[in-house]
Amino acid sequence: MIIVMQPGATREEEQRVISHLEREGFKVHLSRGIERTIIGVIGDKTRLKAETVTALAGVEKVVPILQPYKLASRDFHPEDTVVETGNRTIGGAAVQIIAGPCAVESRDQLLEAADAVREAGATMLRGGAYKPRSSPYSFQGLAAKGLEILAEARERTGLPVVTEVMDQNLVEDVAAVADVLQIGSRNMQNFALLQAVGQTNKPVLLKRGLAATIEEWLLAAEYILNAGNSRVILCERGIRTFETYTRNTLDLSAVPAVKHLSHLPVIVDPSHGTGRRFMVAPMARAALAAGADGIMVEVHPRPQEALSDGSQSLDPEQFAALVREIRPIITASGRELERQVV
Ligand code: PEP
Ligand code: MN
């Protein structure tokens, strides 16, 4: 439910409504817009007596939230959420470029990639220490050793680190190093994992499941929000369709759809979204033109030697060209590339 206050409602009137709801056992979320204030209410709706609330001074109306997700919906929280992580903000005016290899393969490989992407203008570093692979015989990541290397790369470059956590029992270990916890596509509906990352104080990058509808994706975000973590970033990474030319079908229409339905920031991963190196830059440009809050791109010092996702990885030079190409699009969209830390 949301409670829409009258345009001229006073702070005291707002406070009386909030106190009433809290006494009744509801959780409330206040959004003060330019025109009016909206109070989001979470709890057992059968216990909310709309007539009693409507009768309180300053209340205009009580409206049910029709979507099955509540905390993630824009009705509940009309203004855009800006997620802060260390010295970065995701959502709002800044655009983030997250870049790095698919997997941390060795200290040399990761540090080389980190230096190169930083030099080219990336604002955050990615790299998986734990990798979800379709085959049990494929490289599974360096695990704890990979986390150590990521921590060293952050020290060295100043770039915040985004890395995947696949197992609820490892959330604490990964959160000790990661600036942003990534939930991979295959785990989008791992509800125990969603709840576990919801209990941390780290931002969560929630990738869209490979066969998930937008509603299912937002419901997955709802699990994290409902567990108490309000810092969720959505990431469109392509979905399964009948098309086989591309690895996935990058659903860029999800960007405006999610922005319409939700207040959460949304970024786009054109690497997994296409699976083909030559398509990464054009789709990155399109993503930012469509209003994405950032992109996540796989970059490897020598893609031909990559232990995973080499065919969609850019080399440092190609990545530098991509950054040059997207700069005018960011400016034309009235946004700015977050300045690099020096
Ligand atoms: C990744 O980012 O390397 C990854 C495994 O992505 P996804 O979960 O989208 O497949
Ligand atoms: Mn990958």
Side-chain angles (χ1 to χ4, degrees), residues 39-59:
I39 301 170
V41 188
I42 288 288
D44 175 4
K45 71 166 184 245
T46 58
R47 294 194 43 244
L48 184 76
K49 292 191 188 61
E51 318 79 66
T52 318
V53 179
T54 318
L56 295 172
V59 173

Side-chain angles (χ1 to χ4, degrees), residues 101-103 126-128 130-133 164 166 182-188 205 207-210 235-238 247-248 269 271-273 296 298 308-309 312:
C102 178
R126 65 148 286 147
Y130 296 91
K131 294 305 302 176
R133 304 306 303 279
E164 178 163 354
M166 288 168 52
Q182 177 173 327
I183 298 294
S185 202
R186 290 154 193 82
N187 272 314
M188 190 204 81
L205 182 84
K207 289 195 137 191
R208 181 177 182 179
L210 36 174
C235 178
E236 163 62 40
R237 49 76 73 204
R247 181 178 180 184
N248 291 288
D269 170 354
S271 305
H272 295 87
M296 180 151 90
E298 286 185 341
S308 60
D309 289 351
Q312 67 193 32

Side-chain angles (χ1 to χ4, degrees), residues 82-97:
V82 179
V83 172
E84 295 190 358
T85 161
N87 50 8
R88 295 280 179 248
T89 51
I90 303 174
V95 163
Q96 299 293 345
I97 303 181

Side-chain angles (χ1 to χ4, degrees), residues 41 57 59 86 106 113 158 225 235 240 243 252 282 293 295:
V41 188
V59 173
S106 69
L225 299 169
C235 178
R240 280 275 165 90
E243 184 55 72
L252 287 185
D293 296 299
I295 51 170

Side-chain angles (χ1 to χ4, degrees), residues 10-287:
T10 64
R11 297 276 165 119
E12 290 74 44
E13 287 168 342
E14 281 170 21
Q15 199 43 57
R16 249 175 275 138
V17 176
I18 293 170
S19 306
H20 168 78
L21 293 164
E22 286 177 343
R23 265 198 313 277
E24 297 291 316
F26 294 100
K27 274 201 273 182
V28 298
H29 178 276
L30 187 69
S31 292
R32 275 207 192 94
I34 300 168
E35 287 254 309
R36 58 179 89 225
T37 294
I38 284 173
I39 301 170
V41 188
I42 288 288
D44 175 4
K45 71 166 184 245
T46 58
R47 294 194 43 244
L48 184 76
K49 292 191 188 61
E51 318 79 66
T52 318
V53 179
T54 318
L56 295 172
V59 173
E60 184 169 298
K61 56 185 174 185
V62 178
V63 191
I65 297 178
L66 298 174
Q67 291 92 348
Y69 43 86
K70 312 292 176 192
L71 299 168
S73 78
R74 200 175 270 285
D75 290 344
F76 186 82
H77 186 296
E79 71 276 19
D80 285 342
T81 284
V82 179
V83 172
E84 295 190 358
T85 161
N87 50 8
R88 295 280 179 248
T89 51
I90 303 174
V95 163
Q96 299 293 345
I97 303 181
I98 307 168
C102 178
V104 183
E105 298 170 358
S106 69
R107 180 171 178 273
D108 286 352
Q109 172 254 13
L110 199 264
L111 296 185
E112 200 178 332
D115 287 348
V117 299
R118 179 185 181 281
E119 179 64 30
T123 57
M124 298 176 79
L125 176 67
R126 65 148 286 147
Y130 296 91
K131 294 305 302 176
R133 304 306 303 279
S134 298
S135 163
Y137 307 120
S138 301
F139 174 60
Q140 305 283 312
L142 297 183
K145 180 70 197 156
L147 292 177
E148 264 174 47
I149 298 170
L150 285 166
E152 184 181 348
R154 182 197 21 230
E155 265 315 284
R156 178 180 165 114
T157 60
L159 298 177
V161 165
V162 182
T163 195
E164 178 163 354
V165 57
M166 288 168 52
D167 179 335
Q168 74 203 80
N169 299 312
L170 288 171
V171 167
E172 214 175 300
D173 294 2
V174 179
V177 168
D179 295 283
V180 176
L181 295 166
Q182 177 173 327
I183 298 294
S185 202
R186 290 154 193 82
N187 272 314
M188 190 204 81
Q189 285 189 321
N190 180 339
F191 301 116
L193 182 61
L194 296 177
Q195 273 163 339
V197 296
Q199 282 160 11
T200 69
N201 60 358
K202 289 289 163 89
V204 178
L205 182 84
L206 177 64
K207 289 195 137 191
R208 181 177 182 179
L210 36 174
T213 63
I214 288 172
E215 184 170 298
E216 287 163 340
W217 189 18
L218 291 173
L219 280 167
E222 189 81 5
Y223 267 90
I224 303 169
L225 299 169
N226 190 42
N229 189 343
S230 59
R231 296 196 286 168
V232 177
I233 305 142
L234 299 164
C235 178
E236 163 62 40
R237 49 76 73 204
I239 48 174
R240 280 275 165 90
T241 67
F242 52 80
E243 184 55 72
T244 54
Y245 179 72
T246 43
R247 181 178 180 184
N248 291 288
T249 297
L250 187 60
D251 180 12
L252 287 185
S253 68
V255 174
V258 158
K259 291 220 166 260
H260 177 74
L261 295 169
S262 176
H263 53 90
L264 296 172
V266 56
I267 69 160
V268 170
D269 170 354
S271 305
H272 295 87
T274 62
R276 289 177 180 255
R277 182 173 305 126
F278 81 93
M279 298 182 80
V280 171
M283 297 316 279
R285 299 198 300 265

